[in-house]
């Protein structure tokens, strides 16, 4: 799916575009290196979250499940620069649960694409709703965007926080408060 030849040709052009010489020693391997790196950081392009969320188990109860501090690295689609941070994922089962590692896998699948933070947050929440059919989902993503902190306004360490709520989380403040309480610290 990812075309190494196209990436390599594009990187050579990019290097020329910024006034570099793509044939000098330090850069000669760079296009191939970037192509290999893209295979990894855009691995989510060929993946479906269903792969991880398909297998569910009977829930021992229907209390809120929170997986917090899921570290992720993604790439902003406006600048093709990294944004990275933590995702916190919660859901309230309706009889079925999924293995905890699968929540992190789901985050990774959507992060390893060209993304917008708002969209990443929404896609994680939607995948959980569709595949687990819980009574509610809440996802919070906090991230630093290099396109904000390395250029432009240059505010290192500043974070963007996005949340998406679905199902019972939308109407019930008590559940959202419970979520915030659990991800604190
Ligand atoms: Zn950006």
């Amino acid at each position: 799916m990812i075309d190494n030849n196209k990436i390599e040709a594009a990187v050579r052009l990019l290097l020329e575009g910024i006034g570099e010489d793509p044939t000098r020693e330090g850069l000669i391997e760079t296009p191939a290196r970037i192509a290999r790196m893209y295979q990894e950081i855009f691995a989510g392009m060929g993946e479906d979250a269903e792969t991880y969320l398909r297998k569910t188990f009977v829930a021992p109860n229907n209390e809120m499940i929170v997986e917090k501090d899921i570290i992720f690295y993604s790439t902003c689609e406006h600048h093709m620069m990294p944004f990275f941070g933590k995702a916190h994922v919660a859901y309230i089962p309706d009889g079925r649960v999924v293995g905890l590692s699968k929540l992190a896998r789901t985050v990774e699948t959507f992060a390893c694409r060209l993304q917008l933070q708002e969209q990443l947050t929404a896609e994680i929440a939607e995948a959980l709703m569709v595949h687990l059919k819980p009574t509610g989902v809440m996802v919070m993503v906090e991230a630093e965007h290099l396109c904000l902190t390395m250029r432009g306004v240059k505010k290192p360490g500043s974070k963007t926080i996005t949340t998406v709520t679905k199902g019972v989380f939308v109407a019930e403040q008590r559940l959202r408060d419970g979520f915030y309480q659990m991800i604190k610290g």
Side-chain angles (χ1 to χ4, degrees), residues 119-138:
Q119 179 178 287
L120 172 65
T121 314
E123 285 178 348
I124 296 165
E126 181 62 18
L128 293 177
M129 279 310 273
V130 168
H131 299 295
L132 302 186
K133 298 182 175 58
T135 54
V137 168
M138 183 157 182

Side-chain angles (χ1 to χ4, degrees), residues 76 78-79 147:
C76 139
H78 290 159
H79 302 91
C147 62

Side-chain angles (χ1 to χ4, degrees), residues 19-101:
E20 265 292 358
D21 171 11
T23 63
R24 75 174 171 86
E25 198 186 345
L27 293 177
I28 197 85
E29 292 293 323
T30 296
R33 229 180 257 125
I34 290 182
R36 282 196 299 275
M37 181 179 72
Y38 277 7
Q39 292 279 356
E40 193 177 333
I41 68 177
F42 296 126
M45 293 287 293
E47 280 189 344
D48 190 330
E50 190 189 353
T51 313
Y52 304 111
L53 298 176
R54 175 160 49 205
K55 194 167 161 46
T56 58
F57 307 91
V58 173
N61 59 59
N62 285 333
E63 297 298 320
M64 190 191 311
I65 294 166
V66 180
E67 187 72 7
K68 68 172 189 173
D69 298 338
I70 301 170
I71 306 285
F72 75 90
Y73 294 86
S74 190
T75 307
C76 139
E77 71 179 28
H78 290 159
H79 302 91
M80 292 186 76
M81 291 278 281
F83 71 96
F84 52 93
K86 294 172 183 174
H88 314 290
V89 177
Y91 69 101
I92 297 175
D94 186 16
R96 307 292 294 177
V97 292
V98 74
L100 290 176
S101 69

Side-chain angles (χ1 to χ4, degrees), residues 149-160:
T149 58
M150 190 176 163
R151 57 168 279 284
V153 289
K154 286 194 179 133
K155 289 278 177 280
S158 74
K159 282 193 178 145
T160 305

